[in-house]
């Protein structure tokens, strides 16, 4: 019989994969006197666990559901089995915990046998990587080359589809504005996109800063939602809520359908409206308008839910949450995922009234808000599909070369494959090579770059002309 090893007061930097957290025992300052937001964060993410708190200087053990503002958090323990996700230590969990100010833990190391096996596997993997034979390396490179070329090709095709679909969305919204509800014009694109579009290609298009009107936004969010949603469901071996992929896509396309009830001059305005202005109030009614229109069209309940709740934050008291006074439990998983993708597209896409973000920066930003604004589980799922550096992101490497991210790595999300487009002397390359960061351990990503600042309006053509040597 192999016995579990118990360790107490393990600090965040000492956590190692293979450890299992049995209690959270050390916290950053913000947990020492809980405010409303932090209180909800804990309640949401540690559902059904117990907390030891100091309340009016008296220590007591309570269910996390009973936490109150001003409680001092001492310990979170007795986590139920469905929270194993925040107990099994991985590099990713460690990063997430650090970012959220969890500093010390009690851990269990499951039977040493298993630990030994894991160490052995790690050692074998390491040796495997460093001793890839020249022919294995060549094969891996060929595969990377093929994937990259396919991705470039897919992206060019998706640019065309996006244009057409976005015109179709514009038409149905214009029709609706005139009181005519007819979405048959979009159906042919829905079928076409379902067959050809990919979330990765569409995310890359967004980051290449192509035009970004309301309609492009709907198409981008639609495609990214549909393909990442189905990937997640497949990964988790769960049944999708929609009848088929086309329904999912149509639903996500129509998440902002309520905007058809908003006058075009407000919708296309280049200025940001004041929070309390009439225009802002009207803008914030679009989820309600959309849900009304869609239920009138007899759309499935999930689609109506997505339209109604896509601006609802997990912390429903936030200013940016609308409609107001809703129960977060009514927000289905699909709507939670959609709201993340909606926010991502809004940050990265080109907007007239703001500077757009680089994809990895947008990822880090949303990551910091997961568990407060966005549902932690939906975010985690989405992150495992797109990685820390979404495909098509532009990065600078430690050897001063510049390239586009071409893969979502399986193991270490920080080490994708990069197609180099500019050498260390700042010269643009006609023929490109791929650096595989999973193999080239001496090189790393040092910063993410703004595609527009680097290539101006040529970004798309620089990307489309990538040719791997
Ligand atoms: Fe919206
Ligand atoms: Fe939206």
């Amino acid at each position: 019989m192999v016995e579990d090893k118990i360790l107490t007061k393990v600090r965040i930097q000492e956590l190692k994969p293979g450890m299992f957290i049995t209690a959270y025992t050390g916290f950053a300052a913000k947990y020492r006197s809980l405010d409303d937001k932090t209180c909800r964060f804990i309640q949401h993410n540690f559902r059904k666990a117990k907390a030891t708190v100091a309340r009016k200087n008296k220590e007591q053990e309570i269910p996390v559901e009973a936490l109150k503002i001003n409680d001092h958090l001492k310990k979170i323990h007795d986590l139920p089995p469905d929270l194993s996700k925040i107990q099994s230590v991985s590099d990713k969990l460690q990063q997430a915990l650090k970012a959220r100010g969890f500093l010390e833990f009690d851990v269990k190391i499951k039977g040493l046998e298993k630990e030994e096996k894991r160490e052995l596997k790690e050692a074998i993997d390491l040796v495997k990587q460093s001793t890839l034979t020249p022919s294995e390396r060549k094969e891996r490179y060929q595969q990377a080359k093929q994937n990259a070329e396919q991705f470039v090709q897919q992206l060019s095709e998706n640019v065309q589809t996006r244009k057409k679909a976005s015109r179709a969305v514009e038409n149905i919204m214009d029709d609706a504005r005139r009181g005519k509800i007819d979405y048959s014009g979009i159906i042919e694109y829905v079928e076409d996109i379902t067959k050809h579009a990919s979330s990765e290609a569409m995310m890359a298009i967004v980051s290449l800063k192509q035009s970004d009107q309301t309609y492009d936004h709907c198409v981008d969010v639609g495609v990214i939602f549909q393909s990442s949603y189905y990937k997640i469901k497949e990964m988790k071996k769960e049944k999708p809520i929609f009848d088929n992929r086309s329904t999912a896509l149509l639903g996500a396309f129509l998440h902002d359908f309520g905007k058809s009830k908003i006058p075009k001059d407000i919708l296309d305005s280049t200025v940001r409206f004041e929070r309390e202005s009439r225009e802002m109030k009207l803008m914030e009614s679009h989820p309600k308008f959309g849900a009304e229109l869609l239920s009138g069209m007899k759309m499935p309940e999930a689609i109506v839910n997505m339209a109604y709740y896509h601006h609802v934050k997990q912390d429903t008291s936030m200013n940016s949450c609308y409609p107001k006074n809703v129960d977060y439990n009514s927000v289905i998983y699909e709507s939670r995922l959609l709201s993340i993708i909606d926010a991502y597209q809004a940050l990265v896409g080109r907007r007239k009234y703001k500077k757009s973000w680089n994809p990895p920066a947008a990822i880090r930003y949303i990551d910091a808000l997961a568990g407060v604004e966005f549902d932690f589980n939906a975010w985690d799922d989405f992150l495992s599909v797109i990685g820390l550096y979404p495909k098509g992101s532009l990065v600078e490497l430690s050897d001063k070369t510049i390239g586009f991210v071409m893969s979502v790595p399986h193991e270490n999300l920080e080490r994708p494959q990069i197609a180099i487009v500019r050498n260390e002397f700042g010269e643009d390359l006609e023929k490109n090579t791929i650096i595989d960061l999973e193999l080239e351990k001496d090189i790393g990503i040092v910063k993410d770059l703004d595609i527009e600042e680097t290539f101006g309006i040529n970004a798309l053509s620089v990307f489309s002309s990538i040719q791997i040597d």
Side-chain angles (χ1 to χ4, degrees):
M1 211 2 224
V2 188
E3 290 204 357
D4 290 344
K5 202 159 113 187
I6 309 286
L7 301 173
T8 55
K9 291 190 180 290
V10 175
R11 283 175 302 181
I12 179 80
Q13 62 272 27
E14 296 164 340
L15 288 179
K16 290 210 172 52
M19 289 180 173
F20 188 81
I21 299 174
T22 54
Y24 285 58
T25 57
F27 306 91
K30 65 175 169 179
Y31 299 101
R32 271 172 224 140
S33 180
L34 297 183
D35 63 9
D36 188 31
K37 207 187 267 181
T38 319
C39 203
R40 284 173 203 229
F41 171 79
I42 301 283
Q43 286 171 339
H44 180 77
N45 291 295
F46 292 89
R47 269 179 310 255
K48 300 196 200 111
K50 295 219 170 86
T52 301
V53 297
R55 190 180 284 175
K56 293 184 185 145
N57 290 329
K58 251 175 83 186
E59 205 163 285
Q60 46 184 301
E61 195 184 292
I62 53 171
V64 293
E65 284 73 16
L67 278 173
K68 281 194 190 154
I69 298 174
N70 296 331
D71 277 348
H72 292 215
L73 201 55
K74 298 271 182 185
K75 189 171 173 180
I76 305 174
H77 47 103
D78 291 316
L79 282 69
D82 59 329
L83 292 185
S84 63
K85 209 170 180 172
I86 51 171
Q87 295 183 278
S88 297
V89 178
S90 63
D91 290 344
K92 208 164 105 192
L93 179 69
Q94 195 176 5
Q95 272 171 24
L97 295 178
K98 197 170 170 194
R100 290 177 180 79
F102 296 113
L103 306 176
E104 211 171 71
F105 313 86
D106 290 348
V107 303
K108 183 163 81 181
I109 302 177
K110 289 237 171 196
L112 278 179
E113 237 177 25
K114 200 169 157 197
E115 168 71 356
E116 278 161 8
K117 266 190 209 153
R118 193 185 58 78
E119 274 174 11
L120 191 66
K121 189 183 169 296
E122 267 179 8
I124 292 171
D125 284 351
L126 202 72
V127 174
K128 243 200 218 157
Q129 285 198 353
S130 59
T131 59
L132 280 187
T133 64
S135 77
E136 280 169 340
R137 264 183 177 262
K138 203 168 156 199
E139 202 178 306
R140 194 174 156 116
Y141 191 85
Q142 285 305 322
Q143 190 58 52
K145 173 180 158 139
Q146 215 177 3
N147 292 344
E149 282 168 353
Q150 234 170 38
F151 182 55
V152 172
Q153 170 76 21
Q154 206 177 39
L155 186 131
S156 315
E157 285 166 13
N158 278 211
V159 168
Q160 295 311 318
T161 317
R162 179 186 193 249
K163 258 190 207 149
K164 286 190 241 158
S166 140
R167 226 167 289 138
V169 173
E170 181 169 13
N171 286 340
I172 59 166
M173 285 180 75
D174 279 350
D175 280 349
R177 191 164 281 126
R178 289 192 290 266
K180 185 177 147 211
I181 301 292
D182 175 12
Y183 61 95
S184 55
I186 203 175
I187 295 296
E188 82 175 276
Y189 296 107
V190 167
E191 302 293 334
D192 190 47
I193 294 174
T194 298
K195 278 190 213 116
H196 301 115
S198 92
S199 57
E200 291 164 344
M202 205 54 90
M203 285 181 78
I205 293 173
V206 178
S207 57
L208 289 166
K209 317 289 175 205
Q210 296 306 290
S211 72
D212 198 7
Q213 311 256 312
T214 299
Y215 322 104
D216 298 321
H217 163 78
C218 293
V219 174
D220 296 342
V221 170
V223 174
I224 298 170
F225 173 81
Q226 182 227 35
S227 51
S228 51
Y229 175 72
Y230 275 86
K231 269 190 199 161
I232 291 169
K233 287 285 156 182
E234 210 172 287
M235 198 170 72
K236 297 170 87 177
K237 300 196 170 55
E238 288 172 3
K239 199 171 168 294
I241 201 172
F242 307 99
D243 288 348
N244 53 51
R245 285 173 180 258
S246 300
T247 313
L249 182 62
L250 183 66
F253 267 175
L254 296 177
H255 77 276
D256 274 338
F257 197 42
K259 287 190 177 168
S260 63
K261 288 239 172 189
I262 293 168
K264 266 202 153 172
D265 56 325
I266 296 184
L267 211 53
D268 294 338
S269 171
T270 51
V271 290
R272 218 183 241 283
F273 300 116
E274 295 295 325
R275 184 135 285 283
E276 292 301 323
S277 65
R278 183 188 71 88
E279 289 86 351
M280 198 59 168
K281 290 242 158 69
L282 202 56
M283 279 298 269
E284 291 187 353
S285 304
H286 80 267
K288 188 174 145 276
F289 293 152
E292 283 165 5
L293 283 168
L294 294 168
S295 56
M297 289 153 74
K298 305 271 177 292
M299 286 283 174
E301 228 173 282
I303 292 185
V304 176
N305 192 291
M306 280 155 60
Y308 192 68
Y309 291 111
H310 72 274
H311 288 286
V312 168
K313 310 291 183 206
Q314 183 181 307
D315 177 355
T316 52
S317 69
M318 292 179 77
N319 259 339
S320 55
C321 168
Y322 56 91
K324 303 269 181 232
N325 303 321
V326 293
D327 176 4
Y328 197 66
N329 291 318
S330 313
V331 186
I332 59 175
Y333 174 84
E334 286 69 16
S335 305
R336 297 176 185 197
L337 178 69
L338 184 93
S339 82
I340 289 169
I341 296 168
D342 190 46
Y344 177 84
Q345 203 286 347
L347 287 174
V348 177
R350 179 207 283 254
R351 285 287 194 285
K352 291 181 200 116
Y353 51 79
K354 68 157 184 67
K355 190 175 170 345
S356 58
W357 293 47
N358 301 331
I363 297 284
R364 291 191 294 270
Y365 177 74
I366 301 180
D367 189 52
L369 295 173
V372 182
E373 279 198 35
F374 304 106
D375 180 77
F376 192 73
N377 292 323
W379 170 245
D380 216 29
D381 294 341
F382 186 57
L383 197 60
S384 57
V385 170
I386 57 161
L388 290 171
Y389 294 92
K391 280 166 81 168
S393 306
L394 188 69
V395 293
E396 185 180 313
L397 301 182
S398 50
D399 62 359
K400 298 260 183 283
T401 57
I402 287 177
F404 286 102
V405 173
M406 286 287 157
S407 72
V408 181
H410 295 297
E411 303 269 322
N412 185 344
L413 289 180
E414 292 189 344
R415 305 198 71 80
Q417 293 165 345
I418 316 285
I420 304 298
V421 292
R422 193 173 274 180
N423 66 18
E424 65 271 42
F425 309 111
E427 298 161 347
D428 288 338
L429 303 168
E430 273 178 23
K431 284 277 187 181
N432 313 99
T433 47
I434 291 181
I435 296 289
D436 189 337
L437 294 180
E438 274 188 304
L439 296 184
E440 309 297 332
K441 302 274 184 195
D442 300 340
I443 305 176
I445 296 174
V446 286
K447 62 176 170 194
D448 38 73
L449 298 172
D450 186 277
I451 292 186
E452 256 188 331
E453 266 168 30
T454 313
F455 296 118
I457 51 164
N458 293 327
L460 181 62
S461 69
V462 173
F463 187 88
S464 307
S465 53
I466 287 177
Q467 253 193 328
I468 310 296
D469 215 354

